Amino acid sequence: MLKIGNVEISNPVVLAPMAGVCNSAFRLTVKEFGAGLVCAEMISDKGINLKNKKTMDMLYIDERENPLSLQIFGGEKESLVQAAKFVDKNTNADIIDINMGCPVSKIIKCEAGARWLLDPNKIYDMVSAVVDAVDKPVTVKMRIGWDDDHIFAVENARAVERAGGSAVAVHGRTRVQMYEGKANWDIIRDVKNAVNIPVIGNGDVVTPQDAKRMLDEVGVDGVMIGRAALGNPWMIYQTVKYLESGVLTPEPGVREKMDVCVLHMDRLIALKNEHIAVREMRKHAAWYLKGVQGNGKARKEINECNTREDVVKLLYGLVEEIEAKEQNMQMV
């Protein structure tokens, strides 16, 4: 069991907070596949403070998602504290997470995200102010450093701990790396050895065996899975089961994959309306189709779909084609 502050989490498998992906529809779907903790996509402190409608909609949490960590970002202390107070009192999130890893330029220009990685003193100042202002546990998600010459992961994690942070998640890449190259698990291990709060490792966990290796070799308290779960919540289920029993559960069949894709879409429609949801589902459907026999044509055609009916017809048309081929092969 993983414990963050007073929040007990049933297993060490954590869904990473991915921008543009981790809304309630996706989180709930992953939660049902066994994730111990799911994290919401990062939300702007200024959007919360201005009560921007789109931002307010992003704060929605289905009670079936709990325990859940809600991530905010910002570069100014007063604004971040104000937003954290709102999340603390007006949402059913269990944990407030501060983004200290986003490498995107528009976030960096706001003195937010990965910009914090260059200044352990700012980290202490900002995190301690949020901790003092809220009742929920406060955590931080960070990268190991800005670039190879500015890797302050240990100092930054110690600053989080001194400030009263309840846990830190460490992505084993620098800001300059973005999402390329290899994640440095050695530095994640250094962080784990330097602090007493829980450390969650992130980066290059693409199989259940990777998750076990990170837990065993790096010694982290939890393992965070991001891109490997896109269109593939079975990765979460397989990881949880593998950590429990050492047994790898089988891959899903194509019909099961499309059933879950449609379930995900229906949740997104309920969240956002059909027009917006179907457009957003195009990228998700392409991820669900990855590895499916003959998916090339379908992945192109999905971008022409504008209604739920269009998507369902396309996906199950492919399923029926594949099942008919399999049946013919069995008859030969």
Side-chain angles (χ1 to χ4, degrees):
M1 183 182 287
L2 173 62
K3 192 169 183 184
I4 296 175
N6 59 357
V7 180
E8 294 187 348
I9 299 160
S10 60
N11 66 62
V13 180
V14 181
L15 174 69
M18 292 176 281
V21 171
C22 286
N23 52 46
S24 181
F26 180 70
R27 296 190 311 254
L28 179 56
T29 303
V30 171
K31 188 72 174 188
E32 289 176 343
F33 277 82
L37 178 69
V38 292
C39 300
E41 60 187 317
M42 65 178 189
I43 301 176
S44 160
D45 61 347
K46 288 188 166 51
I48 294 171
N49 297 335
L50 293 170
K51 304 296 184 287
N52 173 276
K53 184 185 182 309
K54 188 176 177 184
T55 305
M56 291 293 103
D57 289 345
M58 290 170 74
L59 294 173
Y60 172 74
I61 300 164
D62 186 304
E63 61 184 15
R64 292 171 291 176
E65 297 177 54
N66 299 96
L68 174 137
S69 171
L70 195 147
Q71 187 181 79
I72 58 177
F73 73 91
E76 299 166 11
K77 183 163 63 175
E78 292 75 15
S79 178
L80 196 69
V81 167
Q82 186 183 340
K85 283 181 175 178
F86 184 88
V87 170
D88 192 45
K89 300 302 178 194
N90 297 281
T91 77
N92 58 336
D94 300 278
I95 296 163
I96 298 171
D97 188 60
I98 300 171
N99 182 295
M100 212 170 84
C102 181
V104 178
S105 294
K106 69 176 181 179
I107 305 297
I108 301 293
K109 283 175 186 170
C110 302
E111 295 296 317
R115 173 63 75 187
W116 292 32
L117 299 170
L118 292 164
D119 190 351
N121 292 326
K122 177 176 180 175
I123 291 166
Y124 174 80
D125 189 36
M126 299 281 271
V127 175
S128 60
V130 173
V131 169
D132 289 345
V134 302
D135 294 323
K136 298 181 193 290
V138 175
T139 61
V140 166
K141 180 163 193 280
M142 68 179 196
R143 286 174 174 252
I144 56 171
W146 182 263
D147 57 26
D148 287 342
D149 296 322
H150 299 86
I151 294 179
F152 305 144
V154 168
E155 297 94 321
N156 291 342
R158 283 177 172 156
V160 171
E161 182 176 38
R162 281 201 320 277
S166 293
V168 60
V170 185
H171 182 169
R173 289 183 175 85
T174 62
R175 186 262 168 169
V176 168
Q177 279 182 278
M178 301 291 282
Y179 299 97
E180 303 299 322
K182 194 177 177 197
N184 189 324
W185 288 12
D186 291 334
I187 294 172
I188 301 175
R189 184 187 297 109
D190 292 341
V191 170
K192 174 59 190 167
N193 292 335
V195 297
N196 294 311
I197 55 174
V199 174
I200 299 167
N202 178 218
D204 292 351
V205 178
V206 296
T207 67
Q209 296 95 319
D210 291 335
K212 186 169 191 321
R213 194 162 55 84
M214 180 178 268
L215 287 162
D216 290 347
E217 295 179 12
V218 182
V220 288
D221 303 279
V223 60
M224 188 172 269
I225 296 171
R227 288 174 290 169
L230 296 175
N232 187 20
W234 295 270
M235 164 59 180
I236 301 288
Y237 176 78
Q238 289 167 330
T239 301
V240 172
K241 291 300 173 189
Y242 184 72
L243 294 177
E244 286 174 354
S245 66
V247 174
L248 280 171
T249 56
E251 293 293 325
V254 63
R255 184 172 288 275
E256 184 185 348
K257 288 187 85 166
M258 297 310 107
D259 286 345
V260 173
C261 182
V262 171
L263 171 66
H264 181 174
M265 175 173 65
D266 286 342
R267 286 175 169 160
L268 203 52
I269 289 169
L271 200 63
K272 300 198 174 190
N273 82 40
E274 184 174 4
H275 177 72
I276 294 170
V278 168
R279 285 178 169 275
E280 280 195 22
M281 260 325 274
R282 290 171 179 172
K283 65 185 178 188
H284 287 283
W287 288 325
Y288 279 100
L289 286 162
K290 197 174 176 185
V292 171
Q293 180 191 341
N295 70 8
K297 184 165 170 272
R299 287 173 78 174
K300 286 177 188 167
E301 290 177 349
I302 204 80
N303 291 320
E304 306 300 320
C305 292
N306 291 303
T307 67
R308 178 189 186 277
E309 188 181 355
D310 290 343
V311 177
V312 169
K313 188 176 175 184
L314 176 64
L315 296 181
Y316 286 111
L318 180 62
V319 170
E320 284 162 14
E321 274 180 40
I322 291 169
E323 288 180 345
K325 281 180 188 173
E326 287 173 350
Q327 200 169 8
N328 288 338
M329 286 175 70
Q330 287 170 4
M331 292 171 66
V332 172

